[in-house]
Amino acid sequence: CYTGLNTHGGVLDLDPLLPPEVPELAFELRFRGHWGIRLHLLDGRVRVTVPPSHLAPLQVRVGGRTATVEPGTSCTLQAP
């Protein structure tokens, strides 16, 4: 529940709200065939790292802002 993680229409949708007791959170997940997508939440930011592959880019939404993350790259979005 800390990440507000949902999937809508092929978009990885996050609306994080970390309590003061959990200042940082990092984990990996699988989504749309991508193994090892890394999410790192810290200081009101969400960093999404997609491992290299031949799969299509991922659409990521954080607090209403959407970004495209190509395999083998990372993107950092500010949470609202």
Side-chain angles (χ1 to χ4, degrees), residues 45-75:
R45 294 183 310 267
V46 178
R47 182 168 182 85
V48 180
T49 303
V50 179
S53 74
H54 292 84
L55 296 171
L58 282 184
Q59 294 292 312
V60 179
R61 183 179 306 122
V62 177
R65 296 179 193 98
T66 303
T68 301
V69 186
E70 297 283 340
T73 67
S74 295
C75 177

Side-chain angles (χ1 to χ4, degrees), residues 18-52:
L18 298 180
E21 299 83 23
V22 184
E24 180 177 7
L25 181 63
F27 61 96
E28 292 184 355
L29 59 88
R30 180 179 180 217
F31 181 63
R32 299 190 60 84
H34 293 273
W35 286 85
I37 298 167
R38 181 145 179 87
L39 300 179
H40 186 205
L41 293 77
L42 176 66
D43 294 332
R45 294 183 310 267
V46 178
R47 182 168 182 85
V48 180
T49 303
V50 179

